Amino acid sequence: MKINNSFSATLHILLHLEQMDKPLTSEQMSAFIDGNPAFIRKLLAGLREQKIVGSSKGHHGGWTLSRPASQVTLYDIYTALGSPVLFALGNRNENPRCLVEKGVNRVMSDTFAEAETLILERFKRLTLAEVGSEFIDYFNAQGQDN
């Protein structure tokens, strides 16, 4: 199963937006993640609907954060992206006939549900500003070469 990196790409982009004092175009942001401007616009569309980002047209137009980073949780971002699947693991067969596989499915489904609950609760408490602060702390401790 292919890994969905839209959540981490969005965090990366939003942290760049937070650091800028001017709007950024999707072309400028695509350079940050070595991506496609259309992909950036697709990511940010759901965030605009949730009033996390805003966009303006024109010569000095582009994308900006609509709220302070301290008021945007990772859960806000996650749901604005359509709540992507958190795990690449899953049951082999959702409707097995084998009793052993049924037992495995029950245990794994319960385990995944518990793990997802923990992750989403953490997302609800963690803000974009805190993620940015972690980067600054890491940068100061490690330097820019790492």
Side-chain angles (χ1 to χ4, degrees):
M1 181 180 278
K2 189 175 180 335
I3 293 175
N4 180 339
N5 65 6
S6 62
F7 186 70
S8 63
T10 302
L11 292 176
H12 185 159
I13 292 164
L14 292 176
L15 288 170
H16 277 287
L17 279 178
E18 195 238 349
Q19 294 173 355
M20 296 296 177
D21 58 353
K22 63 180 183 173
L24 294 176
T25 66
S26 54
E27 288 77 16
Q28 290 169 316
M29 289 183 282
S30 68
F32 298 142
I33 64 166
D34 194 27
N36 182 306
F39 174 70
I40 302 297
R41 289 188 293 274
K42 181 180 174 187
L43 288 178
L44 296 180
L47 277 70
R48 179 176 44 209
E49 290 175 17
Q50 298 300 314
K51 299 188 180 7
I52 295 170
V53 297
S55 62
S56 58
K57 296 182 186 224
H59 182 65
H60 296 288
W63 296 87
T64 58
L65 282 177
S66 296
R67 298 187 264 177
S70 61
Q71 294 178 12
V72 178
T73 67
L74 269 60
Y75 187 77
D76 295 334
I77 298 164
Y78 172 77
T79 57
L81 290 173
S83 303
V85 175
L86 292 176
F87 301 111
L89 298 175
N91 294 325
R92 186 183 72 85
N93 180 348
E94 291 299 325
N95 298 304
R97 293 182 184 200
C98 175
L99 291 177
V100 171
E101 191 167 11
K102 286 180 181 186
V104 168
N105 284 4
R106 277 194 307 279
V107 169
M108 294 310 297
S109 293
D110 290 347
T111 302
F112 292 143
E114 284 181 40
E116 185 172 313
T117 297
L118 289 172
I119 291 168
L120 295 178
E121 287 303 317
R122 177 75 171 126
F123 282 1
K124 289 176 183 177
R125 294 188 313 270
L126 189 59
T127 67
L128 186 60
E130 291 170 316
V131 175
S133 293
E134 194 283 331
F135 158 74
I136 297 298
D137 292 345
Y138 177 81
F139 182 83
N140 289 336
Q142 300 296 316
Q144 59 184 323
D145 293 335
N146 290 332

